[in-house]
Amino acid sequence: MSRKSSRQKREFKMVWASARAVPGRWYLGVVGLHDPDAHGRFRGVALSVRGILAWLGVLAVLAYLALALALFLWLDRRPFNMVTFSDIALPTRWSRISDLRGKGYIEEGMADLKNGRWMQGEMKLRVGLSKHPDNLRARMTLGQFYLAIGRRVLALNVLQAGLQGTYPGRIYLNAMLQVASQCEDFPLALRVIDETLARPAREVPESDRRWLRGQKMQLLVAAHRAPELLEMLDAMPDLRGPEADEARVLALVDAGRLPEAESFLAQWLARAPKTEVAQVMRLQVRIFREQKKMTAMNDTLDRLRALAPADPRTTIYAVVQQTMAGETTRAAQSMDEFVLRFGSDLNNLITLAQPLAEIGAVPLLQRCLAEAQAQGLPTRAFYAAETRAFLHTGQFREAAQAYANFKRDTKEAARAEEMWVSWMDKLLPALIGPPESAQVVELQAFLRSRPFPVSIYRETEEILRKAGRLDTAREVLAMGIGAFPASAALATSKAEVDEQLAAARPAESEKAAAPGPAAGPRERVVFEDLDRLIGEGKWSEAAEQARAVLLSKPAWLPKRESELLRIEMRGHFENGATAEMIGAARMLMDGSNARAQQVVDFAAEVSARGQKDTAATLLGEVLRKTPDYPPAKRALKELEEKPKVHAKG
């Protein structure tokens, strides 16, 4: 037989089984050489379909396990990884992977915050809560972090999201209600209380329910919702005690029902134990003052002092109430008594100076200052109070002089005073200078530079209105509403300012009001939009809008350029765009010390939020533009020295 015919006889077969179906020599159960001839040569090749499928299955399992192992090793690089190999390998456990990763991010974020890596910790806590939203401890920590940096609305949103499940407990709920009060979001706080009280009795203990009803009373008083509070108290006759009784009195006063409040206080005093008598008398003093019943007010003040003759607070209360009532002679007599009995103690004098500053009682406040000076006591607290009092009375140049005295007596401001000092540094020059001065622009830029309590916006606009700066007051209110959109008080003030502006100036024609093609966007509209975006936390959009305005070059740009660049710089920082932030910082600096200081101040804030390397980069840019600028050199040296100190420890 020829070689060719031998090849033709060889066969290729596809079989299901292997050796049992086709005798021959099989390899790995897949390839078989079958039907050997007399000389031992195989006449054909067979492939086992079952063998191929079996090996494909084995390889698939191995590949799956290899990928699972690779994914596990990738996840296990994180120091707080909680995902195990079995969680990845077993499909029945896939549903818990996201939750476990969230727990890991949360633990890692907690560790970062503990070690001062603020930005990394905040980011990891946010990511962790997005995957594991039921961790109330992480929500409390993140809310406290936002509260510490002044982001009260963000803190409120984070805490509110934790109320979706079961009752979180009094501690958590108290934190959320406090933040809501600071944001003046009283409707939200009241809604949360009502929803919690509506939960089943087994979820919320009776002690917590009593506490919640007390919180609701306080919120209704703060929100000036007297009818609702009175309705609540009438519907709950079992709601008794000094807290409920005082809430009723305050609601009656807020509603203008002073005779009813006086009658209720008389009944309360008749049944009050000794521990409540002073509380009732203080409320009676207020009612008598508002009704102009001076004899009754002074008699009650005398009896109140007789209850605790060694307590300086009763005499302080008498001085303040008599001053507010216009009883200057009696107030001076009470002041003499206070100085004689309690005036040798610095803390007593400061305690009296603070309420006197709030009501603008400058002569009595200066008496406190004179007593402190005569006794050689520190005077800086009294100069600070005098500054606030002059601002209250609209004496702005006198306020500036008192503040200069405060600065002269202050070597270094205490941490609690830092914000007030920075505020006064911007507010007083803006009040003394002309309405369109650079100091006014700097004040507006300062109020946009960081988050502030709602009281700062409210007090600033009140002072500006006293100074006749209605346009600036309106801008400040727009900033405040952007930061605290739920504040009814700010919204009411803004409506009043808008009405005053409309009455103070003639209506503009449409032609004059509308900008021409080359005029660019209107200044007020631009900054109102920016305030809204910043208040909503839309930093990326704020940075883009600031850049667009800078490129459009409106006519008013020269006086607001640095402010827009600061907004752009901060927006890029908040959005994590470091390169763009550095670019905005370079554009902000023009070689002057004033612009350089703005970047140094921003670098200090960046450093305080844990971004040491970014702060060092900003300071390096300052020194590149303004060589040997001392504040930048000092700040950079401090940044470089701190890691060494930690390393030695």
Side-chain angles (χ1 to χ4, degrees), residues 237-440:
D238 58 327
L239 201 60
R240 291 290 183 183
E243 184 182 25
D245 289 341
E246 182 169 347
R248 180 182 291 276
V249 173
L250 295 176
L252 290 170
V253 172
D254 197 37
R257 295 156 60 178
L258 296 177
E260 291 182 51
E262 181 182 351
S263 175
F264 179 80
L265 282 170
Q267 298 172 17
W268 183 6
L269 183 62
R271 59 177 167 79
K274 290 183 179 180
T275 55
E276 298 177 14
V277 171
Q279 179 183 4
V280 178
M281 285 186 173
R282 283 193 295 269
L283 291 169
Q284 283 183 318
V285 168
R286 176 179 173 181
I287 298 299
F288 291 142
R289 173 174 60 79
E290 296 198 12
Q291 293 187 98
K292 310 296 184 183
K293 296 182 178 181
M294 299 307 165
T295 302
M297 182 191 77
N298 289 319
D299 290 344
T300 306
L301 284 171
D302 290 339
R303 288 188 287 118
L304 181 61
R305 278 180 284 187
L307 287 176
D311 189 348
R313 292 174 297 178
T314 57
T315 308
I316 289 173
Y317 189 70
V319 173
V320 173
Q321 291 296 319
Q322 288 166 342
T323 303
M324 293 176 67
E327 292 280 282
T328 54
T329 303
R330 293 297 299 267
Q333 293 172 355
S334 298
M335 183 74 180
D336 291 338
E337 178 185 347
F338 175 84
V339 171
L340 180 64
R341 302 181 60 191
F342 309 109
S344 60
D345 187 281
L346 175 63
N347 292 329
N348 289 340
L349 288 172
I350 293 175
T351 303
L352 173 58
Q354 291 172 345
L356 291 178
E358 292 176 6
I359 63 175
V362 174
L364 295 179
L365 184 55
Q366 290 176 335
R367 173 83 183 277
C368 291
L369 173 61
E371 290 295 329
Q373 290 173 331
Q375 299 177 51
L377 299 174
T379 56
R380 58 192 302 274
F382 301 100
Y383 285 128
E386 192 179 32
T387 303
R388 292 193 291 270
F390 279 128
L391 287 173
H392 181 86
T393 58
Q395 298 170 273
F396 304 123
R397 294 193 180 278
E398 290 81 356
Q401 181 59 52
Y403 182 65
N405 294 333
F406 167 82
K407 297 276 279 193
R408 187 192 63 230
D409 282 6
T410 304
K411 295 181 180 179
E412 184 178 358
R415 182 174 293 274
E417 296 175 329
E418 287 177 355
M419 185 179 69
W420 183 79
V421 169
S422 300
W423 180 35
M424 290 296 107
D425 284 340
K426 303 297 182 183
L427 177 62
L428 291 169
L431 291 169
I432 296 172
E436 300 298 327
S437 65
Q439 289 82 1
V440 174

Side-chain angles (χ1 to χ4, degrees), residues 515-552:
R522 294 178 63 188
E523 179 181 1
R524 191 183 75 184
V525 175
V526 165
F527 283 96
E528 283 185 355
D529 288 343
L530 287 171
D531 291 333
R532 177 182 56 79
L533 292 173
I534 292 171
E536 295 173 358
K538 298 178 180 178
W539 289 104
S540 178
E541 295 180 30
E544 291 176 4
Q545 182 163 325
R547 170 55 33 195
V549 174
L550 288 164
L551 292 175
S552 68

Side-chain angles (χ1 to χ4, degrees), residues 527-587:
F527 283 96
E528 283 185 355
D529 288 343
L530 287 171
D531 291 333
R532 177 182 56 79
L533 292 173
I534 292 171
E536 295 173 358
K538 298 178 180 178
W539 289 104
S540 178
E541 295 180 30
E544 291 176 4
Q545 182 163 325
R547 170 55 33 195
V549 174
L550 288 164
L551 292 175
S552 68
K553 297 182 179 179
W556 49 265
L557 181 61
K559 68 176 182 178
R560 307 298 291 269
E561 181 183 25
S562 64
E563 189 173 356
L564 288 168
L565 285 167
R566 284 198 295 268
I567 292 174
E568 183 185 5
M569 179 174 64
R570 177 176 293 278
H572 289 315
F573 168 70
E574 299 287 354
N575 202 39
T578 304
E580 289 81 357
M581 179 199 69
I582 297 298
R586 288 172 179 167
M587 295 186 66

Side-chain angles (χ1 to χ4, degrees), residues 87-391:
D87 292 324
I88 299 173
L90 298 177
T92 55
R93 296 192 179 185
W94 287 354
S95 59
R96 53 180 285 184
I97 289 178
S98 178
D99 191 61
L100 290 172
R101 290 192 68 195
K103 290 180 180 179
Y105 273 111
I106 286 171
E107 294 303 321
E108 192 171 349
M110 292 285 197
D112 283 339
L113 290 179
K114 185 177 180 180
N115 293 319
R117 297 187 290 270
W118 311 114
M119 296 299 291
Q120 297 94 321
E122 182 263 347
M123 179 194 69
K124 290 168 185 174
L125 284 179
R126 281 193 295 107
V127 173
L129 285 171
S130 69
K131 299 176 181 296
H132 181 59
D134 297 332
N135 193 314
L136 297 181
R137 180 173 67 98
R139 288 197 177 278
M140 281 281 288
T141 302
L142 186 58
Q144 290 168 354
F145 170 76
Y146 284 141
L147 199 59
I149 64 173
R151 306 286 181 187
R152 293 170 178 79
V153 175
L154 284 178
L156 182 60
N157 293 338
V158 168
L159 293 173
Q160 184 187 357
L163 302 175
Q164 304 303 320
T166 58
Y167 176 57
R170 184 190 293 196
I171 295 176
Y172 185 92
L173 200 59
N174 183 52
M176 186 266 168
L177 293 176
Q178 286 182 351
V179 177
S181 297
Q182 292 177 19
C183 295
E184 296 192 351
D185 197 343
F186 301 118
L188 172 62
L190 291 167
R191 186 173 71 250
V192 167
I193 289 176
D194 289 338
E195 291 173 355
T196 306
L197 289 173
R199 289 176 181 264
R202 63 179 181 275
E203 281 192 37
V204 186
E206 183 57 33
S207 59
D208 284 9
R209 291 181 179 275
R210 288 195 297 270
W211 170 77
L212 283 168
R213 286 192 286 268
Q215 293 295 307
K216 184 174 182 179
M217 287 190 296
Q218 294 178 18
L219 287 167
L220 288 172
V221 170
H224 300 287
R225 293 164 67 166
E228 293 179 48
L229 177 54
L230 292 171
E231 183 180 351
M232 172 186 171
L233 292 170
D234 291 338
M236 297 181 179
D238 58 327
L239 201 60
R240 291 290 183 183
E243 184 182 25
D245 289 341
E246 182 169 347
R248 180 182 291 276
V249 173
L250 295 176
L252 290 170
V253 172
D254 197 37
R257 295 156 60 178
L258 296 177
E260 291 182 51
E262 181 182 351
S263 175
F264 179 80
L265 282 170
Q267 298 172 17
W268 183 6
L269 183 62
R271 59 177 167 79
K274 290 183 179 180
T275 55
E276 298 177 14
V277 171
Q279 179 183 4
V280 178
M281 285 186 173
R282 283 193 295 269
L283 291 169
Q284 283 183 318
V285 168
R286 176 179 173 181
I287 298 299
F288 291 142
R289 173 174 60 79
E290 296 198 12
Q291 293 187 98
K292 310 296 184 183
K293 296 182 178 181
M294 299 307 165
T295 302
M297 182 191 77
N298 289 319
D299 290 344
T300 306
L301 284 171
D302 290 339
R303 288 188 287 118
L304 181 61
R305 278 180 284 187
L307 287 176
D311 189 348
R313 292 174 297 178
T314 57
T315 308
I316 289 173
Y317 189 70
V319 173
V320 173
Q321 291 296 319
Q322 288 166 342
T323 303
M324 293 176 67
E327 292 280 282
T328 54
T329 303
R330 293 297 299 267
Q333 293 172 355
S334 298
M335 183 74 180
D336 291 338
E337 178 185 347
F338 175 84
V339 171
L340 180 64
R341 302 181 60 191
F342 309 109
S344 60
D345 187 281
L346 175 63
N347 292 329
N348 289 340
L349 288 172
I350 293 175
T351 303
L352 173 58
Q354 291 172 345
L356 291 178
E358 292 176 6
I359 63 175
V362 174
L364 295 179
L365 184 55
Q366 290 176 335
R367 173 83 183 277
C368 291
L369 173 61
E371 290 295 329
Q373 290 173 331
Q375 299 177 51
L377 299 174
T379 56
R380 58 192 302 274
F382 301 100
Y383 285 128
E386 192 179 32
T387 303
R388 292 193 291 270
F390 279 128
L391 287 173

